[in-house]
Amino acid sequence: MPLDPPRPDSVPPLASTLVEVPRAPRPGRRVQGEATLVLLALGTAATLVLSVTLPPERRLEARRLATLVPAPPPPRTLAPDDLDQEPETLDEQRARLLDRMRTGLRLSETQIDAVRTLFDASPVLGQGNPAISRHPMSRSECRRVRLEAGVTEANVPACGAPSMVPLYDPSSGQTEQDARVCIDQLEFPNLPCEYPVVHVRASEAAALCRAVGKRICDTHEWEGACAGAVRTPEAEYEWGRPRAEATWYHNYKREKVWAYGAAKNHALCGTSSSRTPGCPGGGYDQCGSNTYPAGAFPACRSPLGVFDMHGNAAEHMNLPTLPEELAASGGLGFTEMKGSWFVFASIEAHEDDCRWRAPSWHETRLGSENSHANYHLGFRCCKDL
């Protein structure tokens, strides 16, 4: 079945108490006082306790210097809140998600109604079956991780929507100002620390992108966003070749790189979740969408600022076989599934470097009502400038 953190440095716990280290006087020297200055230096890797015996005339100066040592900052914690309480039904899940999209994405009521209509037309579209999905990380834990890593949501005025970043090709001298398209930083709904929408057909993904004022991404846009350089369609597609031949040729000559660097490391991304026991490979009733909150792995970030292009949910994209099938030109080609999914550290079913293209798994026209959907398959959107 296809598509089926960096390890942190060891940080010793802070000392809860300080123990004065006894120090014997040297022979023949008089101990000129009993005052002891204990300096505590807190760093990220060690706790240093320094004991110095001082003569009486320097006690006041020692006390004054001690007051200049800043106290360590209090630990940053975020308490669990109502967002960590998982809904019991799909309807409740959808209602909460729509509320989050309304406020977090600044969507109009017309846009919210369009998204609701698409959800209501499907018996499974959402964030996974609430009865069996078991997420390995809570939303509040995701927010804590992002806070401690200094991760902030992108706000690029040119993109016209929150949490989107411009796509361009730095290797050819382009800058952000040369961008003609933006991409979501996160999997749909593109809300930090929200679980991705799954069980979505490619046709539904394209419709949901349109509903929020965007479009489905073309394959080369996703690949370039991951690798850090978005090249022209003419450089990335073999127009006129059969798909199997074009895919083989593309993979043969591709640059092999991951969003986080030149060496594969599944631990940097959301790949270490578990599969529902008894899951046969797909299906709403037997396979939980055991995803992570979007953006929960700060190191799983591309040079252009896009998260989760490996792990979490695999993603629908549009694969054009002719120039007129580019989504950027208003067309639609064939289904292409990108990235990897939330158990990929233990089930590495295929390559998942940025520019690798899959064979024609579950292939249909992207707009087909029978396009593929599954519990680990989501999408993200692009937006033309």
Side-chain angles (χ1 to χ4, degrees):
M1 177 68 194
L3 298 171
D4 234 332
R7 186 178 63 187
D9 294 333
S10 178
V11 179
L14 299 180
S16 59
T17 60
L18 296 179
V19 179
E20 186 176 303
V21 179
R23 188 173 183 178
R26 294 182 183 178
R29 292 189 62 183
R30 179 181 177 184
V31 178
Q32 298 186 20
E34 299 176 355
T36 299
L37 173 65
V38 179
L39 299 178
L40 177 63
L42 294 177
T44 60
T47 300
L48 176 64
V49 179
L50 182 63
S51 178
V52 181
T53 302
L54 298 175
E57 62 270 18
R58 296 183 59 190
R59 293 177 190 173
L60 292 177
E61 177 65 9
R63 291 193 185 102
R64 187 187 70 81
L65 291 175
T67 64
L68 299 179
V69 178
R76 292 182 293 183
T77 59
L78 289 172
D81 56 28
D82 289 343
L83 290 180
D84 286 338
Q85 302 301 313
E86 290 301 318
E88 295 183 0
T89 68
L90 183 61
D91 286 344
E92 292 171 352
Q93 181 193 92
R94 289 171 170 177
R96 187 178 67 179
L97 179 59
L98 289 172
D99 285 341
R100 292 275 292 117
M101 292 176 66
R102 179 184 291 106
T103 57
L105 300 177
R106 303 194 294 271
L107 299 180
S108 68
E109 286 306 312
T110 299
Q111 291 172 318
I112 289 294
D113 288 343
V115 173
R116 181 185 293 110
T117 298
L118 290 165
F119 279 0
D120 289 346
S122 168
V124 295
L125 181 56
Q127 294 168 294
N129 185 343
I132 58 174
S133 294
R134 299 293 181 265
H135 301 292
M137 182 186 293
S138 68
R139 295 173 176 90
S140 61
E141 175 68 6
C142 171
R143 294 198 303 277
R144 183 192 66 78
V145 168
R146 288 169 62 90
L147 177 65
E148 293 187 350
V151 177
T152 57
E153 184 180 8
N155 184 18
V156 181
C159 292
S163 199
M164 299 195 80
V165 292
L167 297 183
Y168 55 98
D169 184 6
S171 66
S172 66
Q174 290 184 345
T175 67
E176 184 175 304
Q177 286 66 41
D178 297 307
R180 295 293 177 265
V181 62
C182 292
I183 192 171
D184 288 343
Q185 283 191 294
L186 309 165
E187 297 146 327
F188 191 90
N190 196 33
L191 289 168
C193 295
E194 192 55 72
Y195 300 111
V197 168
V198 290
H199 287 291
V200 56
R201 297 188 184 279
S203 54
E204 293 169 329
L208 284 165
C209 288
R210 289 194 298 270
V212 298
K214 304 175 186 180
R215 63 166 172 83
I216 195 74
C217 300
D218 287 314
T219 291
H220 78 286
E221 293 171 328
W222 190 100
E223 293 167 350
C226 179
V230 181
R231 301 168 185 152
T232 65
E234 290 71 26
E236 294 287 30
Y237 299 108
E238 300 292 327
W239 303 131
R241 291 180 185 262
R243 177 173 181 172
E245 180 182 336
T247 296
W248 181 92
Y249 187 74
H250 171 89
N251 286 341
Y252 177 76
K253 67 175 185 176
R254 80 187 189 278
E255 166 197 33
K256 197 168 184 178
V257 66
W258 287 261
Y260 44 77
K264 178 172 64 178
N265 185 352
H266 291 323
L268 299 182
C269 300
T271 62
S272 298
S273 185
S274 59
R275 200 170 178 174
T276 303
C279 170
Y284 186 79
D285 295 329
Q286 294 178 275
C287 298
S289 299
N290 303 332
T291 51
Y292 295 87
F297 293 84
C300 194
R301 177 178 181 173
S302 81
L304 295 182
V306 187
F307 293 87
D308 297 332
M309 305 195 91
H310 315 283
N312 220 20
E315 302 176 30
H316 285 295
M317 291 297 135
N318 177 60
L319 178 69
T321 58
L322 298 169
E324 56 267 27
E325 292 174 351
L326 285 161
S329 299
L332 290 178
F334 292 84
T335 52
E336 167 81 6
M337 289 179 277
K338 307 300 293 182
S340 48
W341 57 301
F342 55 80
V343 299
F344 210 68
S346 57
I347 305 176
E348 187 172 335
H350 51 78
E351 301 286 343
D352 81 330
D353 57 281
C354 291
R355 298 193 188 276
W356 183 78
R357 287 186 191 164
S360 53
W361 293 326
H362 308 285
E363 181 187 63
T364 64
R365 298 294 301 192
L366 192 131
S368 170
E369 293 182 357
N370 295 317
S371 52
H372 184 58
N374 214 336
Y375 68 105
H376 54 68
L377 184 54
F379 68 105
R380 74 179 73 211
C381 305
C382 284
K383 190 173 188 290
D384 295 308
L385 301 182

